[in-house]
């Protein structure tokens, strides 16, 4: 049962990751603001219906995406049962999936 819940949470977050990949593709590489200009990305949390935005540079987003198990969420949107915080930046938290959720995130990574 726990593994099923972990996989479902990872699948929810995968939807938001795909939205952010589309945002990034639309801006990169020819975007006039460059890799260090702020861009609004969707919170990649597991909360159904979350439509919050957070601001990252393309460079920072790429750094998070270097690990398929990592997601960028707003502080307070993390789910301790399936992820742990690896970095805090004010209102932004970078989390890494654990257990079955980590496996699901890696399998669903649109870059793999």
């Amino acid at each position: 049962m726990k593994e099923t819940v972990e996989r479902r949470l990872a699948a929810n977050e995968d939807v938001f990751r795909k939205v952010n990949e589309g945002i990034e593709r639309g801006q990169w590489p020819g975007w006039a603001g460059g890799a260090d200009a702020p861009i609004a990305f969707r919170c990649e949390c597991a909360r159904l219906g979350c439509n919050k935005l957070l601001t990252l540079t393309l460079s920072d987003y790429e750094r998070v995406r270097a690990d398929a198990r990592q997601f960028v969420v707003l502080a307070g949107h993390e789910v301790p049962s399936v992820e742990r915080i690896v970095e805090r930046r004010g209102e932004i938290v970078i989390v890494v999936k654990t257990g079955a959720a980590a496996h699901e995130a890696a399998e669903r990574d649109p870059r793999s």
Side-chain angles (χ1 to χ4, degrees):
M1 178 72 142
K2 180 182 178 206
E3 185 173 318
T4 302
V5 170
E6 289 178 6
R7 288 184 181 279
R8 183 182 55 78
L9 290 172
N12 290 350
E13 291 174 332
D14 179 61
V15 170
F16 297 128
R17 173 179 274 172
K18 287 178 181 165
V19 169
N20 283 342
E21 288 288 309
I23 290 170
E24 183 187 38
R25 278 192 308 274
Q27 302 293 331
W28 187 269
W31 187 58
D36 293 324
I39 298 208
F41 287 93
R42 291 284 307 265
C43 176
E44 296 177 337
C45 74
R47 294 179 181 195
L48 292 176
C50 177
N51 61 0
K52 302 291 183 181
L53 297 175
L54 44 88
T55 303
L56 286 174
T57 66
L58 289 172
S59 301
D60 287 338
Y61 186 70
E62 278 301 310
R63 192 170 53 81
V64 172
R65 289 294 290 118
D67 183 338
R69 300 168 305 139
Q70 289 189 160
F71 291 80
V72 60
V73 302
L74 288 169
H77 288 211
E78 61 274 3
V79 181
S81 62
V82 296
E83 58 199 15
R84 67 181 165 77
I85 296 171
V86 293
E87 187 176 337
R88 290 183 186 271
R89 292 186 186 176
E91 69 174 11
I92 296 172
V93 177
I94 299 167
V95 297
V96 64
K97 298 291 168 212
T98 59
H103 180 72
E104 189 75 15
E107 279 188 353
R108 291 177 171 267
D109 185 8
R111 295 186 179 187
S112 40

